[in-house]
Amino acid sequence: MRTARSALDFFLPGRRVSELVPVAGGNVNDSLYVRLSSGRRYILQKLNPSVFAQPEQVIANLSMVTDYCDREKSKQQQCLIRLPRLIRSPAGRTAFIDPIGHYWRLLTWIEETCTMATINFEEQGRAIGRLLGCFHHLLRDLPVGKLYDPLPGFHHTPTYLHRYDQVVGSRSEGVFSGARERRCAAFIDEYRDRAGILEQHRRSLSASIIHGDPKVGNFLFDAGGEQAVSLIDLDTIMPGLLLHDLGDCLRSCCNPAGEEVDSPERIVFDRSLFAAVMAGYCEKALDLLGKTDRDLLIDAVFLISFELGIRFFTDYLAGNSYFKVERPEQNLQRALVQFYLAASIDNQRRVLDLLWQQSIMAADTSCR
Ligand code: GN1
Ligand code: MG
């Protein structure tokens, strides 16, 4: 907390702080809620150095995107997105570097909003889909080359698989211990042939600037909880595929049980929420999706769940150095949730395909 105080003093020298408390929920960075005695509120964040090797690039990307959105206000007429802004120190700096080299930044607090870790109602799914569509539209003319790629290969599933194989190969114990580890390994073996599906079609998929982490908790709703009004956590904004974002958003929205579940085998991918999110997205951004994007949407949702499962399981096997944990087996449990989710998507493949075709037709009709 002492370093957090120093960071605050760097950005807002001499201000009286009345509250400084950790915010739960992030798997990677440390976030603190700040309230000054004047009533103004902020979010103070320490970037995780084991994840972001070049934190200055993450901060530069955020600045580039919010400046761009400010300049392109006219594009937001149809759909306003409130984004967090970086606070500068009196000397104009956007990062405080603490004595051990960690980067801290201060962000504006988005007032009169609330977050949700999971959603249960179709209207919420639709609202999220709409906002993601607006976000993709808003950024589509920002040249991809203007942004740094803070995490190269972030959604390159074959690389995650390769790293998993390396970690397994280097374990002196050799075999997996316990039913849950064996279950994860079996899922990976069952689905490993599908890891390259997006990479194989990369050239015919729509490339864009993506959010990189559009999970439910990163959408802010208005105070009534009805409209999604803001998208936060802009650390993973990077060049990518629209299907990466759609896959990630859907694997999160359509899992009403959430990512931390005691009985992962009960996880079911909720197809009504799927239809709702995609209906919302199509309202705003169906035009961004080409034929191959449309054909591979369900594969993408499956893939991003599977990929996240591999990431959690590999981190568990390698000693939990990437995703923060409160207990050593937490990443194992999180991995199982994603694998069962992937299996549920796979089991419902035909219905999901049908629902997706219906969403496309409904959106096409309403555009005519
Ligand atoms: C991480 O830290 P957080 O919760 O914003 C991860 C995402 C995962 C997510 C799963 C940089 O995001 O890729 O989808 O956990 N972020 C990074 O909850 O790896
Ligand atoms: Mg994130």
Coordinates of all heavy atoms in Angstrom, one line a residue, residues 32-83:
L32 N -6.6 -0.9 -7.8 CA -7.1 -0.3 -6.5 C -8.1 0.8 -6.8 O -7.9 1.5 -7.8 CB -5.9 0.3 -5.7 CG -4.9 -0.7 -5.2 CD1 -3.5 -0.3 -5.7 CD2 -4.9 -0.8 -3.7
Y33 N -9.1 0.8 -6.0 CA -10.2 1.8 -6.1 C -9.7 3.0 -5.3 O -9.3 2.8 -4.1 CB -11.5 1.2 -5.6 CG -12.6 2.3 -5.3 CD1 -13.3 2.8 -6.3 CD2 -12.8 2.7 -4.0 CE1 -14.3 3.7 -6.0 CE2 -13.8 3.6 -3.7 CZ -14.6 4.1 -4.7 OH -15.5 5.0 -4.5
V34 N -9.7 4.2 -5.9 CA -9.2 5.4 -5.1 C -10.4 6.4 -5.0 O -11.1 6.7 -6.0 CB -8.1 6.1 -6.0 CG1 -7.6 7.3 -5.2 CG2 -7.0 5.1 -6.3
R35 N -10.5 6.9 -3.8 CA -11.5 8.0 -3.7 C -10.8 9.1 -2.9 O -10.2 8.9 -1.8 CB -12.7 7.5 -2.8 CG -13.9 8.4 -2.8 CD -14.9 7.8 -1.9 NE -15.8 8.8 -1.5 CZ -17.0 9.0 -2.2 NH1 -17.3 8.3 -3.2 NH2 -17.8 10.0 -1.7
L36 N -10.9 10.3 -3.5 CA -10.3 11.5 -2.8 C -11.3 12.1 -1.8 O -12.5 11.8 -1.9 CB -9.9 12.5 -3.8 CG -8.9 12.1 -4.9 CD1 -8.5 13.3 -5.8 CD2 -7.6 11.5 -4.3
S37 N -10.8 12.9 -0.9 CA -11.7 13.5 0.0 C -12.7 14.5 -0.7 O -13.8 14.7 -0.2 CB -11.1 14.1 1.2 OG -10.0 14.8 0.8
S38 N -12.2 14.9 -1.9 CA -13.1 15.8 -2.7 C -14.3 15.0 -3.3 O -15.2 15.5 -3.8 CB -12.3 16.4 -3.8 OG -11.9 15.4 -4.7
G39 N -14.2 13.6 -3.2 CA -15.2 12.8 -3.8 C -14.8 12.2 -5.2 O -15.5 11.3 -5.6
R40 N -13.8 12.8 -5.8 CA -13.4 12.2 -7.1 C -12.9 10.8 -7.0 O -12.2 10.5 -6.0 CB -12.3 13.1 -7.7 CG -12.8 14.3 -8.4 CD -11.8 14.9 -9.3 NE -11.9 14.4 -10.6 CZ -12.4 15.0 -11.6 NH1 -12.8 16.3 -11.5 NH2 -12.5 14.5 -12.8
R41 N -13.1 10.0 -8.0 CA -12.7 8.6 -7.9 C -11.9 8.2 -9.1 O -12.0 8.8 -10.2 CB -14.0 7.7 -7.9 CG -14.9 8.2 -6.8 CD -15.9 7.2 -6.5 NE -17.1 7.2 -7.3 CZ -18.1 6.4 -7.2 NH1 -18.1 5.4 -6.3 NH2 -19.1 6.5 -8.0
Y42 N -11.0 7.2 -8.9 CA -10.1 6.8 -9.9 C -9.8 5.3 -9.7 O -10.2 4.7 -8.7 CB -8.7 7.5 -9.8 CG -8.8 9.0 -9.8 CD1 -9.0 9.7 -8.7 CD2 -8.6 9.6 -11.0 CE1 -9.1 11.1 -8.7 CE2 -8.6 11.0 -11.1 CZ -8.9 11.7 -9.9 OH -8.9 13.1 -10.0
I43 N -9.1 4.7 -10.7 CA -8.6 3.3 -10.6 C -7.1 3.4 -10.8 O -6.6 4.0 -11.8 CB -9.2 2.4 -11.7 CG1 -10.6 2.0 -11.4 CG2 -8.4 1.2 -11.9 CD1 -10.8 1.0 -10.2
L44 N -6.4 2.9 -9.8 CA -4.9 2.9 -9.8 C -4.5 1.4 -10.1 O -5.0 0.5 -9.5 CB -4.4 3.3 -8.4 CG -2.9 3.3 -8.3 CD1 -2.2 4.4 -9.2 CD2 -2.5 3.5 -6.8
Q45 N -3.6 1.3 -11.1 CA -3.3 -0.1 -11.5 C -1.8 -0.3 -11.6 O -1.1 0.5 -12.1 CB -3.9 -0.4 -12.9 CG -5.3 -0.8 -12.8 CD -5.8 -1.3 -14.1 OE1 -5.5 -0.6 -15.2 NE2 -6.6 -2.3 -14.1
K46 N -1.4 -1.5 -11.1 CA 0.0 -1.9 -11.3 C 0.0 -3.0 -12.3 O -0.6 -4.0 -12.2 CB 0.6 -2.4 -10.0 CG 2.1 -2.8 -10.1 CD 2.7 -3.3 -8.8 CE 2.4 -4.7 -8.6 NZ 3.1 -5.3 -7.5
L47 N 0.8 -2.8 -13.4 CA 0.8 -3.8 -14.5 C 1.7 -4.9 -14.0 O 2.7 -4.7 -13.4 CB 1.4 -3.1 -15.8 CG 0.4 -2.1 -16.4 CD1 1.1 -1.4 -17.6 CD2 -0.9 -2.7 -16.8
N48 N 1.2 -6.1 -14.4 CA 2.0 -7.3 -14.0 C 3.2 -7.5 -14.9 O 3.0 -7.8 -16.1 CB 1.0 -8.5 -14.1 CG 1.6 -9.8 -13.6 OD1 2.8 -10.0 -13.6 ND2 0.8 -10.7 -13.2
P49 N 4.4 -7.4 -14.3 CA 5.6 -7.5 -15.2 C 5.8 -8.9 -15.7 O 6.5 -9.1 -16.8 CB 6.7 -7.1 -14.2 CG 6.2 -7.4 -12.9 CD 4.7 -7.3 -12.9
S50 N 5.2 -10.0 -15.1 CA 5.5 -11.3 -15.7 C 4.6 -11.5 -16.9 O 4.7 -12.5 -17.7 CB 5.3 -12.5 -14.7 OG 4.8 -12.1 -13.5
V51 N 3.6 -10.6 -17.1 CA 2.7 -10.7 -18.3 C 3.1 -9.7 -19.3 O 3.3 -10.0 -20.5 CB 1.2 -10.5 -17.8 CG1 0.3 -10.5 -19.1 CG2 0.8 -11.7 -16.9
F52 N 3.2 -8.4 -18.9 CA 3.5 -7.4 -19.8 C 5.0 -7.0 -19.7 O 5.4 -6.2 -18.8 CB 2.6 -6.2 -19.5 CG 1.2 -6.5 -19.7 CD1 0.3 -6.6 -18.7 CD2 0.7 -6.6 -21.0 CE1 -1.0 -6.9 -18.9 CE2 -0.7 -6.9 -21.2 CZ -1.5 -7.1 -20.2
A53 N 5.8 -7.5 -20.6 CA 7.2 -7.3 -20.5 C 7.6 -5.8 -20.9 O 8.6 -5.3 -20.5 CB 8.0 -8.2 -21.5
Q54 N 6.7 -5.2 -21.7 CA 6.9 -3.8 -22.1 C 5.7 -3.0 -21.7 O 4.9 -2.6 -22.6 CB 7.2 -3.8 -23.6 CG 8.6 -4.3 -23.8 CD 9.0 -4.4 -25.3 OE1 8.4 -5.2 -26.0 NE2 9.9 -3.6 -25.7
P55 N 5.6 -2.7 -20.5 CA 4.4 -2.0 -20.0 C 4.2 -0.6 -20.7 O 3.1 -0.1 -20.8 CB 4.6 -1.8 -18.5 CG 6.0 -2.2 -18.2 CD 6.5 -3.0 -19.4
E56 N 5.3 0.0 -21.1 CA 5.2 1.3 -21.7 C 4.4 1.2 -23.0 O 3.7 2.1 -23.4 CB 6.5 2.0 -21.9 CG 7.5 1.3 -22.9 CD 8.2 0.0 -22.3 OE1 7.9 -0.3 -21.2 OE2 8.9 -0.6 -23.1
Q57 N 4.4 0.0 -23.6 CA 3.7 -0.1 -24.9 C 2.2 -0.2 -24.6 O 1.4 0.2 -25.4 CB 4.1 -1.4 -25.6 CG 5.6 -1.4 -26.1 CD 5.9 -2.5 -27.0 OE1 5.2 -3.5 -27.1 NE2 7.1 -2.5 -27.6
V58 N 1.9 -0.9 -23.5 CA 0.4 -1.0 -23.1 C -0.1 0.3 -22.8 O -1.3 0.7 -23.3 CB 0.3 -1.9 -21.8 CG1 -1.1 -2.0 -21.3 CG2 0.9 -3.3 -22.1
I59 N 0.6 1.2 -22.2 CA 0.1 2.5 -21.8 C 0.0 3.4 -23.1 O -0.9 4.1 -23.3 CB 1.0 3.1 -20.7 CG1 0.9 2.3 -19.5 CG2 0.7 4.6 -20.5 CD1 1.8 2.7 -18.3
A60 N 1.0 3.2 -24.0 CA 1.0 4.0 -25.2 C -0.2 3.6 -26.1 O -0.9 4.5 -26.7 CB 2.3 3.8 -26.0
N61 N -0.5 2.3 -26.1 CA -1.7 1.9 -26.9 C -3.0 2.5 -26.3 O -3.8 2.9 -27.1 CB -1.8 0.3 -26.8 CG -1.0 -0.4 -27.8 OD1 -0.3 0.2 -28.6 ND2 -1.0 -1.7 -27.8
L62 N -3.1 2.5 -25.0 CA -4.3 3.0 -24.4 C -4.5 4.5 -24.8 O -5.6 5.0 -25.2 CB -4.2 2.9 -22.9 CG -5.3 3.5 -22.0 CD1 -6.7 3.0 -22.5 CD2 -5.1 3.1 -20.6
S63 N -3.4 5.2 -24.7 CA -3.4 6.6 -25.0 C -3.8 6.8 -26.5 O -4.6 7.7 -26.9 CB -2.0 7.1 -24.7 OG -1.9 8.5 -24.8
M64 N -3.2 6.0 -27.4 CA -3.4 6.1 -28.8 C -4.9 5.9 -29.1 O -5.6 6.6 -29.9 CB -2.6 5.1 -29.5 CG -2.9 4.8 -31.0 SD -2.5 6.2 -32.0 CE -0.7 6.1 -32.0
V65 N -5.5 4.9 -28.5 CA -6.9 4.5 -28.8 C -7.8 5.6 -28.2 O -8.8 6.0 -28.9 CB -7.2 3.1 -28.2 CG1 -8.7 2.9 -28.1 CG2 -6.5 2.0 -29.0
T66 N -7.6 6.1 -27.0 CA -8.6 7.0 -26.5 C -8.4 8.4 -27.2 O -9.4 9.0 -27.5 CB -8.4 7.2 -24.9 OG1 -7.0 7.5 -24.6 CG2 -8.9 6.0 -24.2
D67 N -7.2 8.7 -27.6 CA -7.1 10.0 -28.4 C -7.8 9.8 -29.7 O -8.5 10.8 -30.2 CB -5.6 10.3 -28.7 CG -4.8 10.7 -27.5 OD1 -5.5 11.0 -26.4 OD2 -3.6 10.9 -27.5
Y68 N -7.6 8.7 -30.3 CA -8.3 8.4 -31.6 C -9.8 8.6 -31.4 O -10.5 9.2 -32.3 CB -7.9 7.0 -32.1 CG -8.7 6.6 -33.4 CD1 -8.3 7.1 -34.6 CD2 -9.8 5.8 -33.3 CE1 -9.0 6.7 -35.8 CE2 -10.5 5.4 -34.4 CZ -10.1 5.9 -35.7 OH -10.8 5.6 -36.8
C69 N -10.3 7.9 -30.4 CA -11.8 8.0 -30.2 C -12.3 9.4 -29.9 O -13.4 9.8 -30.4 CB -12.2 7.1 -29.0 SG -11.9 5.3 -29.4
D70 N -11.5 10.2 -29.2 CA -11.9 11.6 -29.0 C -11.9 12.4 -30.3 O -12.8 13.2 -30.5 CB -10.8 12.3 -28.0 CG -11.0 11.8 -26.6 OD1 -12.1 11.1 -26.3 OD2 -10.1 11.9 -25.8
R71 N -10.9 12.1 -31.2 CA -10.9 12.8 -32.5 C -12.1 12.3 -33.4 O -12.6 13.1 -34.1 CB -9.6 12.4 -33.2 CG -8.4 13.2 -32.7 CD -7.3 13.2 -33.8 NE -6.9 11.9 -34.3 CZ -6.1 11.1 -33.6 NH1 -5.5 11.4 -32.5 NH2 -5.8 9.9 -34.2
E72 N -12.5 11.1 -33.2 CA -13.5 10.5 -34.1 C -14.9 10.5 -33.5 O -15.6 9.6 -33.6 CB -13.1 9.1 -34.5 CG -11.8 9.0 -35.2 CD -11.8 9.6 -36.6 OE1 -12.8 9.5 -37.3 OE2 -10.7 10.2 -37.0
K73 N -15.1 11.5 -32.7 CA -16.4 11.6 -31.9 C -17.6 11.4 -32.8 O -18.6 10.7 -32.4 CB -16.5 12.9 -31.2 CG -15.9 12.9 -29.8 CD -16.8 13.4 -28.8 CE -16.5 13.0 -27.4 NZ -15.1 13.3 -27.0
S74 N -17.5 11.9 -34.1 CA -18.7 11.8 -34.9 C -19.1 10.3 -35.2 O -20.2 10.0 -35.4 CB -18.4 12.5 -36.2 OG -17.3 11.9 -36.8
K75 N -18.1 9.4 -35.2 CA -18.3 8.0 -35.4 C -19.1 7.4 -34.3 O -19.6 6.3 -34.4 CB -17.0 7.2 -35.5 CG -16.3 7.5 -36.8 CD -15.3 6.4 -37.1 CE -14.7 6.6 -38.4 NZ -13.3 6.5 -38.4
Q76 N -19.2 8.1 -33.2 CA -19.8 7.5 -32.0 C -21.3 8.0 -31.9 O -21.9 7.7 -30.9 CB -19.1 7.9 -30.7 CG -17.7 7.2 -30.6 CD -17.2 7.3 -29.2 OE1 -17.9 6.9 -28.3 NE2 -16.1 7.8 -29.0
Q77 N -21.8 8.7 -32.9 CA -23.1 9.2 -32.7 C -24.2 8.2 -32.5 O -25.0 8.3 -31.7 CB -23.5 10.1 -33.9 CG -23.1 11.5 -33.7 CD -23.0 12.4 -35.0 OE1 -23.4 11.8 -36.0 NE2 -22.6 13.6 -34.9
Q78 N -24.0 7.1 -33.3 CA -25.0 6.0 -33.2 C -24.9 5.2 -31.9 O -25.8 4.6 -31.5 CB -24.7 5.0 -34.3 CG -24.9 5.6 -35.7 CD -26.3 5.4 -36.2 OE1 -26.8 4.3 -36.0 NE2 -26.8 6.4 -36.8
C79 N -23.7 5.3 -31.3 CA -23.5 4.4 -30.2 C -22.3 4.9 -29.4 O -21.1 4.8 -29.8 CB -23.1 3.0 -30.8 SG -22.8 1.7 -29.7
L80 N -22.5 5.5 -28.3 CA -21.5 6.1 -27.5 C -20.8 5.1 -26.6 O -21.5 4.3 -25.9 CB -22.1 7.2 -26.6 CG -21.2 8.2 -26.1 CD1 -20.6 9.1 -27.2 CD2 -21.9 9.1 -25.1
I81 N -19.5 5.1 -26.6 CA -18.8 4.2 -25.7 C -17.9 5.0 -24.8 O -17.1 5.8 -25.2 CB -17.8 3.2 -26.5 CG1 -18.6 2.5 -27.6 CG2 -17.1 2.2 -25.5 CD1 -17.7 1.5 -28.4
R82 N -18.1 4.8 -23.5 CA -17.3 5.6 -22.5 C -16.0 4.7 -22.2 O -16.1 3.6 -21.8 CB -18.1 5.8 -21.3 CG -19.3 6.7 -21.6 CD -20.3 6.7 -20.5 NE -19.8 7.3 -19.3 CZ -20.4 7.3 -18.1 NH1 -21.5 6.6 -17.9 NH2 -19.8 7.9 -17.0
L83 N -14.9 5.3 -22.5 CA -13.6 4.6 -22.2 C -12.8 5.3 -21.1 O -12.9 6.5 -21.0 CB -12.7 4.6 -23.5 CG -13.3 3.9 -24.8 CD1 -12.4 4.1 -25.9 CD2 -13.6 2.4 -24.5

